[in-house]
Amino acid sequence: MKHLSNNDHMQLSITNSIPVHAKEHYSIQTTLRLDQHFSEDGVNIEVRFLDATGQPLNEVYTSPSFNRKTPTNWAALLETAGADANVYMVTGDAVYAERAKRKMLYMLTDMCQGMDIFKSTGWHDDDTYGAVHIGRGIAVLSVIYDQIADSGIILPQESADIHAKFHYIAEMMMDTAYYRFDLEQFPDEKGGKRSNWNADRATGLGIYALIFPEEKLADDYLAHACAVVDWQLEHVVDQDGAWPENIRYHGAVLHRYFLFFTLLQRLKGLDYWSRDKVKKMYRFLIDTVTPKDNVQGRSDSEPKLLSPAVGDSTVDDQWFRMLAYAAPFYATLDAQLSREMMWAWQHGGGVVRDTGAYPCTLLALLYPQPELPQDAPALTSVHFPGMGYIIFRQHAGVWGRENYAIFESSPLTYHAHHDEGHFSIWANGTPLTLDPGTGGYYNGDRHWYVNGHAHNVVQFMDEAGICQNGPLKSLCEDVFFSNQLDYVRSKIPDVHAKGYHRHFAYVKAGVDVYVVWDHIRSQNNSVWNLHTTSTSSDIEKNRIMAHCLNDMKLEVTFLEPSGISVSKDHGAVSGAYPLTAQEHFRISSDFGGDCNVGRDSSSNCSHDYLTLLYPKNREASALVIQSLPTDTDCPELRMYKILRDEQTMFYLLVNGTEQSYTFRCQAGAALLNPHDKATYSPNYNGECHVQVEAGRLTILLTNV
């Protein structure tokens, strides 16, 4: 740090060299508090670049200056203000009501100032003063006010000030220059009728109207809030009860709905709990649970259910608390749902504390009833087409044997993750590969999380040889579930491929192997990304052996292409696992290594990827793959036999052509296609004749 005189700028320097690469993204995060403006231009960040020998280059990056006061924003005080109000309710000690009042006066003033800036500038670098968080804040502050209103510590002038600021905030929340709640379609998730922002804005306004009936526009605000929620339940929440962004925002919206529905029933006699879509919203949280994860958390913690990380969600979002809050309302209305909600809550860690962005601390004290009965739901493989999740399950609820995979093929574009075709896998209660969820929205690391690099997807390169992100949505064309095989095929409309389908299959029936076929038509090179929750890995020829947690392994075998190049790095991991990062593998055909190296577009780069993912413990032997001949030299027709311990597990037939083809498969016994239940018995030559449609793969089981 240098500050040689009062006339000089103060310089805080980091002199350690940080390696960087062309076409990549990097972030520098600083935390500042300015109680007053600086006399000069303020603060800026300067980045200088060095060449490979450590000599300075001419390139210098200088950030825009920052020069405004940064006092504590309102949101930092909300939870403690709620805690003060709770203590006052329990003890009657006016000291705590006074504390809550002082925080409330500060927060309301800061809210109004921030909303003015937000409206005048459209500032979206931080959502704290946007309709989403102000909606949450006005709801919780209304509750806090109601908790301390009878304490006698609010002076008349303070009461007038509080009411005036609440009124000002409510008026602003109805101003379309502040938030465009009037639009049915909007170009991003921060606007319009469909957004979670609008759910939080409207329910906050409705809760304010319910708690402040003296507000002259209370009836109008309440009618507006109900109209918004009614419209969202009909037009936004899908047929499965999913809020169509991701589980993170499903939970966030349900959280705001909960308090609104509770007060509507208590104060107005309006019943939203019995509505079918509302019930389905709670069921969706149950139906998406992972297996009991015996790694998550501390070493002394009990195994617990998690929510899968997809898009902005992380595995430890803890939305199960919402099930505990609402289960008492369903104890008589829908007893089975209530019992299953209690099961998911109990097995999800029994969390009661309200967490996340701007909690209402009173909920955890009033609503959970741990003594309510519980009942395990019947969890099976399931497809949520509106949300775009396909979940594969086996042995659900059987401790130590439960397997789970989630695949994404989404018709939505919310939150801009380039993750179509991504998958996460648990085996024996252990995560083997995970979606990273997301990091901070405004700390500079978001680019990594939304980038295709962060997900188990194929990335195509442009003409300069630079990896490009894939599309933001895809089309699920086929889903199939059975006790022997789960399967999904999705069309991924990548602009760098003439055609691209990802097939993802889970061969059950005592096999427990995942098959991933990326059927590609493209002149562009590509990279196959895989992240594994592993502490180390071995790479040999066409196989990666990832050494994962709990002595589990993930054996990854590339049947195609025949020659591969593997580079290894590290990527973010979602959740409180004893890993700082996942291992990140980038696999490409064996023509030169790193995906940032340009390649001849006429090279054999458009070959498919055909991959086996085999979760196993340390004693299990490796898979053996035999490539079998076909009656033609066409490279689009392939046939493999998969063996373990010299026993044939299944046959894999791939038809990449545009017409059907009949394979001749040598077998000593009948073979079963679990997809269509067809059985193929060998003829006198020991051959089974199996027709495979164009652009399809077929798996034949030997244990008929």
Side-chain angles (χ1 to χ4, degrees):
M1 182 181 292
K2 295 179 181 179
H3 190 193
L4 300 180
S5 74
N6 289 336
N7 295 324
D8 290 328
H9 287 99
M10 188 275 286
Q11 297 181 3
L12 175 63
S13 301
I14 300 173
T15 57
N16 292 339
S17 297
I18 301 172
V20 298
H21 303 279
K23 305 298 183 180
E24 295 289 352
H25 290 74
Y26 300 87
S27 62
I28 294 175
Q29 181 179 357
T30 61
T31 301
L32 299 172
R33 176 181 171 122
L34 306 185
D35 290 325
Q36 298 295 332
H37 292 86
F38 282 132
S39 58
E40 299 296 331
D41 293 333
V43 179
N44 59 53
I45 305 296
E46 185 177 274
V47 180
R48 295 185 175 272
F49 295 89
L50 311 177
D51 64 19
T53 65
Q55 297 303 306
L57 299 174
N58 291 330
E59 295 181 66
V60 177
Y61 169 79
T62 303
S63 73
S65 63
F66 178 93
N67 197 22
R68 70 172 170 265
K69 294 191 289 185
T70 56
T72 301
N73 69 42
W74 69 269
L77 301 174
L78 190 63
E79 187 170 14
T80 57
D84 289 333
N86 292 348
V87 175
Y88 166 70
M89 289 187 70
V90 172
T91 67
D93 189 337
V95 169
Y96 295 98
E98 176 70 26
R99 291 178 179 177
K101 178 194 74 174
R102 291 203 307 269
K103 293 183 177 75
M104 179 183 296
L105 287 167
Y106 180 92
M107 285 187 281
L108 289 171
T109 299
D110 188 51
M111 279 180 166
C112 293
Q113 293 174 345
M115 292 176 79
D116 288 340
I117 296 172
F118 197 95
K119 177 182 174 180
S120 63
T121 66
W123 181 46
H124 271 210
D125 291 336
D126 188 336
D127 294 342
T128 303
Y129 300 99
V132 60
H133 288 163
I134 296 295
R136 299 172 183 183
I138 192 177
V140 179
L141 281 175
S142 296
V143 171
I144 292 172
Y145 174 84
D146 195 50
Q147 289 179 265
I148 65 171
D150 66 349
S151 64
I153 56 88
I154 302 178
L155 301 177
Q157 183 55 44
E158 291 172 333
S159 178
D161 187 32
I162 289 171
H163 281 76
K165 286 186 167 61
F166 269 116
H167 177 77
Y168 184 85
I169 292 169
E171 277 194 323
M172 182 78 81
M173 297 287 266
M174 291 296 293
D175 186 345
T176 54
Y178 172 70
Y179 180 80
R180 294 301 306 271
F181 60 83
D182 55 325
L183 301 178
E184 291 196 11
Q185 301 293 337
F186 206 74
D188 69 25
E189 64 271 7
K190 294 182 177 182
K193 296 172 69 173
R194 297 181 176 276
S195 175
N196 70 84
W197 281 51
N198 198 32
D200 290 357
R201 180 197 66 86
T203 54
L205 199 58
I207 290 165
Y208 162 69
L210 289 165
I211 294 179
F212 288 81
E214 63 271 27
E215 159 66 55
K216 62 182 180 180
L217 295 176
D219 290 343
D220 293 340
Y221 291 156
L222 184 58
H224 172 78
C226 289
V228 169
V229 172
D230 291 345
W231 190 90
Q232 289 183 333
L233 287 173
E234 181 178 357
H235 298 286
V236 182
V237 178
D238 71 20
Q239 69 274 16
D240 296 306
W243 180 268
E245 291 183 60
N246 49 56
I247 291 178
R248 178 177 189 159
Y249 288 97
H250 179 97
V253 170
L254 191 57
H255 188 197
R256 312 307 156 183
Y257 281 179
F258 170 79
L259 182 57
F260 187 44
F261 296 165
T262 300
L263 292 176
L264 277 173
Q265 186 177 63
R266 175 182 296 178
L267 300 176
K268 296 294 183 179
L270 296 178
D271 175 22
Y272 274 77
W273 302 108
S274 60
R275 295 197 183 187
D276 186 56
K277 283 284 187 74
V278 175
K279 290 184 181 182
K280 286 183 175 180
M281 290 186 77
Y282 286 103
R283 176 143 320 269
F284 180 78
L285 286 179
I286 300 171
D287 288 344
T288 54
V289 297
T290 73
K292 282 190 179 180
D293 187 305
N294 58 7
V295 181
Q296 171 80 0
R298 302 182 305 275
S299 59
D300 61 345
S301 64
E302 289 292 322
K304 61 182 180 181
L305 302 169
L306 304 171
S307 294
V310 183
D312 277 12
S313 302
T314 60
V315 298
D316 50 6
D317 278 337
Q318 298 184 344
W319 290 117
F320 297 127
R321 70 186 186 278
M322 297 307 304
L323 301 176
Y325 298 169
F329 292 88
Y330 288 109
T332 55
L333 184 64
D334 190 331
Q336 183 61 33
L337 176 60
S338 176
R339 289 193 294 269
E340 293 181 16
M341 293 166 73
M342 291 301 295
W343 175 89
W345 172 67
Q346 293 278 12
H347 291 267
V351 174
V352 294
R353 180 189 176 191
D354 197 26
T355 59
Y358 318 138
C360 183
T361 61
L362 188 60
L363 302 184
L365 301 180
L366 292 183
Y367 295 106
Q369 296 180 24
E371 71 279 2
L372 287 177
Q374 60 173 286
D375 194 7
L379 297 174
T380 60
S381 298
V382 62
H383 177 207
F384 297 106
M387 182 71 95
Y389 298 170
I390 301 96
I391 296 176
F392 296 172
R393 285 189 173 96
Q394 188 182 36
H395 307 307
V398 181
W399 172 243
R401 297 186 62 203
E402 190 169 359
N403 297 318
Y404 177 105
I406 183 167
F407 180 92
E408 183 172 18
S409 180
S410 175
L412 308 170
T413 59
Y414 285 106
H415 295 278
H417 285 252
H418 299 275
D419 57 356
E420 294 306 308
H422 171 87
F423 54 87
S424 295
I425 297 173
W426 275 261
N428 299 336
T430 303
L432 303 180
T433 175
L434 291 177
D435 186 289
T438 200
Y441 284 140
Y442 306 106
N443 65 355
D445 69 359
R446 183 160 175 78
H447 180 82
W448 163 259
Y449 288 92
V450 301
N451 195 286
H453 290 329
H455 306 284
N456 296 334
V457 300
V458 171
Q459 285 182 286
F460 294 92
M461 301 177 202
D462 62 13
E463 288 68 22
I466 307 299
C467 276
Q468 300 298 303
N469 282 321
L472 296 174
K473 59 182 180 180
S474 59
L475 175 64
C476 182
E477 293 184 332
D478 189 16
V479 173
F480 172 79
F481 301 131
S482 76
N483 292 331
Q484 296 159 315
L485 176 74
D486 287 345
Y487 166 80
V488 58
R489 181 184 75 250
S490 65
K491 181 179 181 180
I492 302 176
D494 198 295
V495 296
H496 294 94
K498 182 179 179 181
Y500 172 34
H501 285 79
R502 169 161 274 196
H503 304 245
F504 186 80
Y506 175 32
V507 188
K508 302 177 179 180
V511 177
D512 291 328
V513 172
Y514 294 89
V515 179
V516 186
W517 176 33
D518 294 292
H519 186 203
I520 297 168
R521 290 289 174 272
S522 176
Q523 289 299 311
N524 294 59
N525 297 333
S526 61
V527 170
W528 202 89
N529 291 293
L530 177 67
H531 298 255
T532 58
T533 50
S534 49
T535 55
S536 64
S537 56
D538 304 316
I539 303 172
E540 183 179 356
K541 294 183 180 179
N542 67 331
R543 179 166 287 171
I544 299 171
M545 185 68 72
H547 303 278
C548 300
L549 304 169
N550 283 353
D551 289 330
M552 289 292 292
K553 297 182 180 182
L554 182 62
E555 178 182 298
V556 186
T557 306
F558 293 91
L559 284 64
E560 301 167 14
S562 57
I564 61 171
S565 291
V566 181
S567 63
K568 183 167 70 171
D569 206 330
H570 291 86
V573 63
S574 170
Y577 292 106
L579 294 171
T580 56
Q582 295 189 88
E583 289 193 292
H584 174 203
F585 303 96
R586 292 196 284 185
I587 296 91
S588 57
S589 293
D590 198 7
F591 36 57
D594 196 333
C595 71
N596 288 329
V597 177
R599 301 190 183 108
D600 180 359
S601 64
S602 65
S603 64
N604 197 18
C605 61
S606 61
H607 265 186
D608 298 351
Y609 296 93
L610 183 59
T611 313
L612 303 181
L613 301 168
Y614 174 33
K616 64 182 188 178
N617 57 34
R618 65 166 66 180
E619 291 82 17
S621 56
L623 297 178
V624 175
I625 293 90
Q626 295 179 0
S627 178
L628 304 179
T630 62
D631 292 337
T632 175
D633 294 332
C634 177
E636 299 284 7
L637 300 167
R638 293 93 80 191
M639 182 165 52
Y640 299 93
K641 181 163 64 172
I642 316 300
L643 303 96
R644 185 172 59 207
D645 296 326
E646 300 184 354
Q647 179 183 355
T648 301
M649 307 303 293
F650 63 95
Y651 291 84
L652 181 57
L653 284 54
V654 179
N655 180 3
T657 71
E658 296 180 359
Q659 58 188 13
S660 63
Y661 178 79
T662 300
F663 289 83
R664 293 195 298 167
C665 182
Q666 199 75 28
L671 302 175
L672 171 68
N673 180 351
H675 202 150
D676 61 9
K677 302 300 182 183
T679 300
Y680 301 93
S681 299
N683 62 16
Y684 63 93
N685 289 325
E687 291 179 345
C688 297
H689 292 211
V690 183
Q691 187 178 64
V692 180
E693 297 301 314
R696 298 292 188 269
L697 66 79
T698 292
I699 291 167
L700 301 175
L701 300 177
T702 59
N703 55 343
V704 177

